[in-house]
Amino acid sequence: MHLLKFLEHRRSVRIFSNTESIDPDEIKDCLKQATLAPTSSNMQLWQFIHLTDGLWREKLTKACLNQTAASTAQQWVVFVTRQDLFRSRARFILDFEKDNIARNSPKEKQKKRIAVREVYYGKLMPFLYGRFFRLLGIIRKLTVNVMGIFRPVVREVSESQMRTVVHKSCALAAQTFMLAMAEKGYDTCPMEGFDSKMVKKLLRLPRGADINMIISCGIREGNSGIWGDRCRVPFETVYDRR
Ligand SMILES: Cc1cc2nc3c(=O)[nH]c(=O)nc-3n(C[C@H](O)[C@H](O)[C@H](O)COP(=O)(O)O)c2cc1C
């Protein structure tokens, strides 16, 4: 089957059927597929909260501003960014990479490659992802501005910019999830129309966590599930070949 078929099938569904059910294990499987999405520095600063119990419906719908995409869904997945877990993720990846290098790199190159990873995950990642009332971001900005005089550098290192970095990767996982769902014939609606404070409280999320988006899941209610034809601006207006 062609990817295009799933891309075309995926629509933002606002009304889900209340008769056709979806299997939570299949959704879990789609979330496993979502973890195959690329992620900045492979940090995987995400968490997927899969709500399967109908008891969530009322409170979640309220937090999602009473959208029918939330109220008619059978299950929901809350995509959460977990920048606060940067230390443990970096440690996990460093440990994995050390073994990876031992398994897959030529003997004479192993020591150097491990040393590079130790600097990257042991020092650089904690430096980049740390947050402390914007101060760490200001220090990072000053550092890259000085380095940038001498060579090309990544400049998006303030605390708000690093937050964007984490959200970008999480959104790629969300899109991968929606395509995996389309492949199973399931429907989704990504939502950012919600009260994040309310959702964080409802799910008892820590301060360092952010809601990236909430994806409601189900099977579309015939043609009324989607709001008409798909609208895209002409391709020529977004395509710039140089
Ligand atoms: C980050 C993001 C947030 C969105 N939030 C909402 C939302 O809160 N409610 C909603 O009905 N649709 C939401 N959408 C769906 C868009 O409106 C939809 O993708 C767009 O209209 C294109 O339609 P299509 O997905 O059917 O191709 C969101 C989409 C994205 C990517």
Side-chain angles (χ1 to χ4, degrees), residues 4 40 58 80 84 121-122 142 150 165-166 208 216 234:
L4 183 60
S40 186
E58 196 182 333
V80 179
D84 55 324
Y121 287 106
L142 289 173
F150 307 100
V165 167
V166 178
S216 48

Side-chain angles (χ1 to χ4, degrees), residues 10-21:
R10 189 213 60 76
R11 292 294 312 274
S12 293
V13 169
R14 275 58 179 248
I15 301 175
F16 294 96
S17 162
N18 60 9
T19 51
E20 290 183 272
S21 60

Side-chain angles (χ1 to χ4, degrees), residues 7-14 64-65 67-69 171 175 178 188-194 212-214 226-232:
L7 291 169
E8 281 172 348
H9 178 77
R10 189 213 60 76
R11 292 294 312 274
S12 293
V13 169
R14 275 58 179 248
C64 291
L65 321 178
Q67 298 194 53
T68 55
Q175 169 69 351
M178 289 189 279
T188 52
C189 185
M191 292 181 289
E192 60 185 357
F194 52 78
N212 176 255
M213 65 182 95
I214 299 176
I226 46 173
W227 289 344
D229 294 336
R230 199 169 222 164
C231 165
R232 291 295 183 266

